[in-house]
Amino acid sequence: MIEKLDEIKSNAIDELSSLQSIKELEDWRVRYLGKKSALTQILRGLASRPLEERKAVGASANELKSLLERSHRQKKEALKEKAYQEMEAAAVGKQIISPTGIPSEEKFGIPTVFLGIPDVTLPGRPIPLGRLHPTTQMVREICDIFVALGFQVVEGPEVEWDYYNFEALNIPPDHPARDMWATLWIDTKSGERPMLLRTHTSPMQIRVMERTTPPVRVVVPGKVYRYEATDATHESMFYQIEGLAVDKNITLADLKGTLYEFARRLFGAERKVRFRCDYFPFVEPGVEMAIDCMVCGGTGCRLCSGTGWIEILGAGMVHPAVLRRVNYDPEIYTGFAFGLGLERMSMLRYGVEDIRLFYSNDLRFLRQF
Ligand code: PHE
């Protein structure tokens, strides 16, 4: 029996020294200290043995048991320490020092390798950042140009009275110029003042002048609406920017100088501009402004449909009848006004071929800006 115990002892100690993992150690414990182990069997069997043998074998068996238990505890500690060191070594190089320069382990007092996280101060997953819509970017860019030239930015209502959209702008109810703007009307009861979605930003000329004494220098960005079928160059909703300057001694030369400077700042210092006569009931004279085509440089291409020129806005000197309506004396004050289509500016700048792309919410398009 004693030999048996010696054999168990040497096998157990031998095996123990070659164990590499906690799992192997647990198997070892079951094998040598478990209920079915030889040692446990021997201890159990002692009861039916003669007293002499019980004494001698019992003492040795118990001694062996506590030796194995002690060895087991020590080995367990050693294996844990070894695992910890290995994990730490694996984490070296992967460990990211936090912005404070303190590795997270020190910062939180937890060996984070035990949490299965190399570093809890790792940057989080990036949250996709939004961006400004190309139209918003263009509104800001154009307004910035005019602000630098001394203009103020104001906004006005999109649901407008017929009075401001047409009447006060020299366009009475039966005037054929109303056909220039396909109008979306708001339902009103008979006898009520007619209401509409503004077809241009020009009504703000009147609203601004009504509440200001000259000098006036404003730009008005905003949405306008047209009752029209959509195609590559038409939308039922789009943006305009209106401009208005009223003061003593304002002439057509001021209009030309201001808009020339604007075109150069937006489309490049080498731009040429062309002014031609045009008709708008609220200006006299009325002009249309074009810039030389930035693609072909004026020789003619697809963008400028072979003409070398691209029309970018309508403008003119504020009509005396419009000034009188807001109680400005046209003998003292003169002014110029202009209106431009914003998406057209973006389309020219970025080579966008279909205006509908701006408002169809396709991220593949929008992310390019
Ligand atoms: N409101 C005009 C349009 O929408 C543009 C314009 C504005 C023309 C100001 C002259 C002066 O067509």
Side-chain angles (χ1 to χ4, degrees):
M1 204 53 90
I2 297 293
E3 296 88 77
K4 178 76 179 152
L5 286 175
D6 284 342
E7 193 193 322
I8 292 173
K9 182 176 170 181
S10 68
N11 285 348
I13 299 302
D14 265 8
E15 279 178 36
L16 189 67
S17 62
S18 64
L19 297 185
Q20 295 297 327
S21 68
I22 302 276
K23 167 85 180 69
E24 284 171 20
L25 179 65
E26 179 58 13
D27 292 344
W28 178 92
R29 191 192 62 75
V30 172
R31 205 153 56 242
Y32 291 102
L33 289 163
K35 284 189 189 123
K36 290 177 187 157
S37 65
L39 180 60
T40 305
Q41 298 302 321
I42 290 169
L43 283 164
R44 286 226 182 107
L46 280 177
S48 56
R49 293 285 168 179
L51 185 65
E52 282 302 289
E53 200 185 330
R54 230 193 285 170
K55 269 189 182 168
V57 178
S60 303
N62 277 318
E63 209 176 286
L64 177 58
K65 190 181 177 191
S66 45
L67 171 75
L68 293 184
E69 280 170 351
R70 215 178 323 118
S71 306
H72 175 260
R73 263 199 309 279
Q74 284 165 359
K75 184 71 182 180
K76 196 169 182 175
E77 286 309 309
L79 283 177
K80 263 200 205 164
E81 177 63 22
K82 185 167 145 273
Y84 175 61
Q85 278 168 4
E86 278 169 7
M87 278 193 268
E88 233 188 3
V92 166
K94 285 187 201 143
Q95 195 169 39
I96 293 187
I97 304 298
S98 69
T100 57
I102 306 166
S104 61
E105 196 164 304
E106 281 171 46
K107 199 166 163 189
F108 295 99
I110 310 163
T112 49
V113 286
F114 279 168
L115 301 174
I117 309 164
D119 184 343
V120 294
T121 63
L122 274 173
R125 291 191 190 146
I127 297 164
L129 265 193
R131 65 191 69 206
L132 294 176
H133 190 279
T135 295
T136 307
Q137 292 183 31
M138 190 49 85
V139 166
R140 293 193 182 178
E141 190 175 338
I142 292 175
C143 286
D144 282 352
I145 291 173
F146 283 106
V147 165
L149 295 174
F151 287 73
Q152 262 180 291
V153 181
V154 294
E155 289 179 298
E158 289 166 30
V159 177
E160 187 55 282
W161 300 114
D162 173 284
Y163 176 78
Y164 289 107
N165 197 84
F166 291 129
E167 192 103 25
L169 288 167
N170 245 355
I171 318 168
D174 50 2
H175 195 290
R178 287 206 179 206
D179 296 345
M180 289 167 75
W181 296 280
T183 309
L184 285 155
W185 294 93
I186 305 280
D187 281 343
T188 44
K189 298 200 187 76
S190 72
E192 280 179 349
R193 294 168 67 189
M195 215 193 269
L196 46 74
L197 294 181
R198 66 179 176 191
T199 58
H200 50 180
T201 43
S202 301
M204 277 302 286
Q205 291 185 29
I206 309 298
R207 286 181 177 273
V208 168
M209 289 191 285
E210 269 181 352
R211 59 175 195 234
T212 325
T213 39
V216 173
R217 281 175 190 39
V218 291
V219 283
V220 188
K223 294 190 189 91
V224 301
Y225 302 83
R226 301 268 171 100
Y227 181 55
E228 269 177 343
T230 62
D231 63 27
T233 53
H234 295 84
E235 258 289 16
S236 51
M237 186 282 294
F238 57 99
Y239 276 73
Q240 286 190 339
I241 294 189
E242 192 80 9
L244 176 70
V246 184
D247 205 344
K248 288 175 184 158
N249 303 319
I250 290 202
T251 69
L252 190 66
D254 297 305
L255 179 159
K256 290 175 77 176
T258 305
L259 293 179
Y260 184 33
E261 184 57 27
F262 158 72
R264 287 160 50 97
R265 290 196 189 194
L266 192 63
F267 291 112
E270 66 286 358
R271 286 283 71 72
K272 292 185 203 128
V273 294
R274 181 191 72 183
F275 290 91
R276 293 207 300 196
C277 291
D278 202 350
Y279 171 70
F280 303 95
F282 37 93
V283 289
E284 180 57 35
V287 296
E288 152 235 284
M289 179 173 123
I291 54 173
D292 63 326
C293 180
M294 58 283 244
V295 170
C296 63
T299 55
C301 67
R302 206 160 70 91
L303 182 68
C304 57
S305 19
T307 64
W309 294 97
I310 297 168
E311 285 149 28
I312 62 166
L313 57 84
M317 299 305 289
V318 182
H319 199 291
V322 172
L323 293 174
R324 247 179 262 117
R325 197 179 277 271
V326 294
N327 294 319
Y328 284 11
D329 184 347
E331 297 302 321
I332 302 173
Y333 296 111
T334 50
F336 67 80
F338 59 88
L340 60 90
L342 194 104
E343 291 81 2
R344 187 156 164 72
M345 303 298 120
S346 298
M347 290 169 81
L348 290 171
R349 161 78 77 78
Y350 301 113
V352 177
E353 292 188 341
D354 194 326
I355 191 174
R356 292 169 292 193
L357 285 167
F358 286 99
Y359 307 113
S360 50
N361 286 339
D362 188 334
L363 289 176
R364 290 170 304 178
F365 174 73
L366 296 173
R367 285 206 178 107
Q368 295 179 57
F369 296 90

